[in-house]
Amino acid sequence: MHEGPNASIRAQRLFVWMAIIGALLFAVAWVGLMGFFPPPPADLTADQVALLYSTNNVRFKVGVILALIAGGFLVPLSIVISVQMARLEKGIPIWAILQGLTGTIGSAFIWLPTVAWAVAAFTPERAPELTAIFHEFGWLMFITPLSLFPMQLLGIIYL
C-alpha cells in the first residue's frame, strides 16, 4: 500500500533516527564497554592481547552484542541520502546508487570486525596467540576498507 509522499518522508525521518540511535549505541559499546577508543597499541604481545579480552570479559561481551545489534547504522542513513540524491539526478541516478551501495557495503566493515572481536572474547582461556590473531584480524578489517568511504563521498560530492 502506497500512502504518497508523506509516507516516504516519515520513513526517511525514521531511518535517520534509526541511524542516529544506532551510531550512539555503537559508540557506547565500542568506547564505553569494549574500551576500543583510543585503539589498543598495535605492538601488544599475545599475552597482553589475551589480558585485554579476559579483563572485564562480561562487559566486553555485552559491548560486542550491543555493537552487533547497532553495527548496521550506516544502512538506513545511506538509503535516505541516496533517496535525496536520486531526486536531484536526471535519468538513472548513478551517483545515488554509488553512494547507497558503498554506504551499505561499508557498514559490513563496521559489523564484521566486531564479529572477529567477539570470537576473540568468547573463550578467554584459549591460547593467547589465537586470541591475538582474531584481535588483529578484526582491527585489519576495521581499518583497511578505506577505499569504500571515499567512493561514497565521491557520489555525494560529484552530484
Side-chain angles (χ1 to χ4, degrees):
M1 177 164 98
H2 186 277
E3 296 180 32
N6 289 336
S8 177
I9 292 169
R10 280 196 306 273
Q12 289 178 56
R13 284 185 182 140
L14 175 64
F15 274 26
V16 169
W17 279 109
M18 286 170 48
I20 291 169
I21 292 167
L24 289 174
L25 287 175
F26 187 84
V28 165
W30 204 64
V31 176
L33 297 171
M34 295 167 62
F36 275 177
F37 188 83
D43 61 352
L44 293 178
T45 66
D47 288 329
Q48 290 171 321
V49 170
L51 184 63
L52 179 75
Y53 284 88
S54 62
T55 305
N56 299 317
N57 184 261
V58 172
R59 187 183 83 189
F60 191 91
K61 287 178 182 177
V62 170
V64 164
I65 291 168
L66 187 59
L68 288 172
I69 291 169
F73 66 88
L74 279 179
V75 175
L77 183 61
S78 294
I79 291 170
V80 171
I81 292 170
S82 291
V83 166
Q84 292 301 314
M85 288 175 63
R87 289 180 39 225
L88 300 174
E89 282 189 71
K90 291 182 174 39
I92 298 173
I94 61 170
W95 296 111
I97 293 168
L98 174 68
Q99 188 285 139
L101 286 175
T102 53
T104 301
I105 293 168
S107 73
F109 291 102
I110 291 173
W111 194 81
L112 287 173
T114 307
V115 172
W117 296 323
V119 171
F122 188 73
T123 309
E125 63 275 0
R126 79 165 58 95
E129 293 78 18
L130 295 175
T131 300
I133 287 171
F134 281 104
H135 171 76
E136 291 169 2
F137 183 62
W139 278 104
L140 286 172
M141 273 195 296
F142 189 72
I143 62 171
T144 55
L146 295 176
S147 64
L148 287 171
F149 299 109
M151 290 303 285
Q152 183 180 9
L153 293 175
L154 178 65
I156 294 170
I157 291 167
Y158 190 78
L159 182 68

